[in-house]
Amino acid sequence: MPRGERWLQKISATRTFARTAPHVIPALDRAVHRLTRGKVLLSARMLPGVVLTATGARSGLPRRTPLACLPEEDGGWLLVGSNFGRPGHPAWTGNLLKNPEAEVSWRGRDIPVRARLLTGEERAQAWRAALAFWPPYATYQARVAREIRLFRLERR
């Protein structure tokens, strides 16, 4: 693992990062994504990323959320609802539970997807893959009593 990546993983596992990143990173990502017509996400310099457009669980309105993702071999994506190790589930996970039909912007293309909450052995396998991909997820899980939600996005 390159030194820069190790340093980034250490920083991202800190409580300070967990407090500030949710306010800074998504706002920057949305702005850059909009300015580049969906071709660039700043956070993708750390991890691959998508912009998820899901229907709000309460509002019914489209909600755009930049998210790190784990691309899968079949062309789908794994999303980890870590919320940077903060206590509550991120809002986008509730949106997908209520309205699993969504869309992702991936490398400048809008792709319709269906989200599925993973459970049981399928979740356990996906969690192991997520930890191998980004070890700080283990730190996030250790901070919270809730089980971090994992979703598989499949192309429609």
Side-chain angles (χ1 to χ4, degrees):
M1 174 187 322
R3 183 196 305 216
E5 190 173 322
R6 270 195 310 270
W7 177 82
L8 189 55
Q9 287 183 4
K10 281 185 176 195
I11 294 294
S12 71
T14 67
R15 290 184 188 275
T16 300
F17 185 86
R19 279 193 303 273
T20 57
H23 305 289
V24 176
I25 293 173
L28 285 173
D29 266 345
R30 279 198 269 301
V32 170
H33 189 260
R34 190 172 41 253
L35 290 171
T36 62
R37 296 188 178 113
K39 291 187 177 23
V40 177
L41 277 176
L42 287 179
S43 62
R45 300 286 183 214
M46 296 187 304
L47 293 169
V50 295
V51 175
L52 173 71
T53 302
T55 303
R58 290 193 300 250
S59 71
L61 299 173
R63 300 294 185 203
R64 293 177 55 82
T65 309
L67 298 168
C69 68
L70 175 55
E72 297 193 296
E73 289 182 15
D74 65 358
W77 299 268
L78 183 66
L79 298 181
V80 180
S82 69
N83 206 12
F84 299 96
R86 297 182 317 164
H89 291 290
W92 64 264
T93 67
N95 295 343
L96 289 180
L97 288 173
K98 183 160 185 189
N99 303 296
E101 304 290 321
E103 185 176 271
V104 293
S105 176
W106 171 252
R107 298 182 176 163
R109 293 184 42 230
D110 293 331
I111 302 166
V113 296
R114 179 167 183 78
R116 193 165 46 81
L117 179 66
L118 301 182
T119 60
E121 183 53 34
E122 186 180 22
R123 186 201 180 279
Q125 259 185 312
W127 182 247
R128 287 189 296 273
L131 291 179
F133 184 69
W134 191 248
Y137 286 139
T139 302
Y140 299 163
Q141 182 62 79
R143 281 190 201 137
V144 295
R146 67 181 172 86
E147 181 177 75
I148 289 176
R149 292 175 177 162
L150 297 179
F151 286 88
R152 179 157 283 131
L153 301 184
E154 298 161 339
R155 293 173 187 246
R156 289 189 274 148

